[in-house]
Amino acid sequence: MAYLCRHQPLSGPIILLSVTLSWLLYQMILWASLGAQATGSTRFVRYTDRTFACKTDLAPLTPSPANYLVCARTCLRQPDCTAFMLTRHSTGFSDGPGSRTCWWCPANQIASISYALADPQLETWFNVLGYLVSPTTKDEPLAVPGALSTVGRIVIFQGRVPDPAPPRFRLTLFVNDTENIVVRVSPRFKFAGHVNRLLVSSRTGSQYNRLLLPNTCFPFSPGQNFEVLLLATNQGFLVYIDGAYIGTIEDSLHWIGDLMHASFDNCEVFLVTF
């Protein structure tokens, strides 16, 4: 495993949380009728505070000008398209003021997620397979069929740390048997001799691969909202927390395509996007 607690260019967690909370409120209202069941249809989620970094030059997805629907339909027809970026041109372009162009990167060329301040000229649309809205069944595996089924896909946990904080909480992604752990993010407020330490791990059978990060890398506090984003790449599973790149889990990379369950305990999770 390789880990680094590094913050991306982002003007503090308050901006990210305000964006997250606004988007989260919208999603919760929109999908409240789903309860704790996952949707089965494919959708695109728009972000203006992050984009993907591509190993190669971005290529036009459709002829310009285009709109979201044209871009989304074209992306769905591409087996290696998991996201696209939509840009709005300023005046003076040959295809007219306000025209739009969508760009894409093949899934196996997506290298990372880049967080930045909202750009009114740029939108990033990630292809997701479904949601779990305000799950109420804690400590039990939740089915997330197709999550991280290929490189270039993301899973996002959004929630809040209880106040007072528990000794620890865990967010876990399993393969089919729920024994082998693809990714586990476990903040420890006061547990097993650890105070305000972050443990990120994977497990094959009974063999754990884990690293306890230094106490300078602990972006959690009681009553605070958080976002944990996992991105599958050819190098491993990249872990981001509140806009900070935490590290890459390489040991469980061979399980891309086998991940089927997620679980959480001792925390309040509002939304799981996969």
Side-chain angles (χ1 to χ4, degrees), residues 18-82:
S18 65
V19 173
T20 299
L21 286 173
S22 298
W23 180 85
L24 179 59
L25 179 60
Y26 167 77
Q27 292 290 344
M28 289 181 69
I29 292 173
L30 182 62
W31 305 109
S33 62
L34 298 177
Q37 300 298 316
T39 67
S41 56
T42 301
R43 311 179 191 280
F44 284 86
V45 177
R46 180 183 66 176
Y47 294 96
T48 56
D49 64 333
R50 69 201 68 180
T51 187
F52 54 82
C54 191
K55 297 178 184 178
T56 61
D57 292 337
L58 294 176
L61 182 61
T62 65
S64 181
N67 58 37
Y68 157 74
L69 288 176
V70 172
C71 297
R73 289 168 181 165
T74 305
C75 185
L76 289 177
R77 290 194 293 266
Q78 299 275 5
D80 53 350
C81 182
T82 58

Side-chain angles (χ1 to χ4, degrees), residues 113-179:
I113 299 290
S114 177
Y115 287 78
L117 292 176
D119 182 350
Q121 305 299 324
L122 177 65
E123 301 170 355
T124 302
W125 293 82
F126 282 99
N127 175 212
V128 301
L129 300 177
Y131 304 89
L132 294 166
V133 181
S134 297
T136 57
T137 305
K138 299 183 180 181
D139 303 321
E140 293 292 333
L142 304 168
V144 286
L148 299 184
S149 55
T150 182
V151 295
R153 289 205 173 277
I154 58 175
V155 170
I156 304 174
F157 291 91
Q158 292 173 302
R160 180 173 58 233
V161 180
D163 189 4
R168 68 169 177 178
F169 72 82
R170 298 181 298 181
L171 305 171
T172 309
L173 295 177
F174 298 97
V175 295
N176 290 334
D177 56 17
T178 72
E179 292 296 327

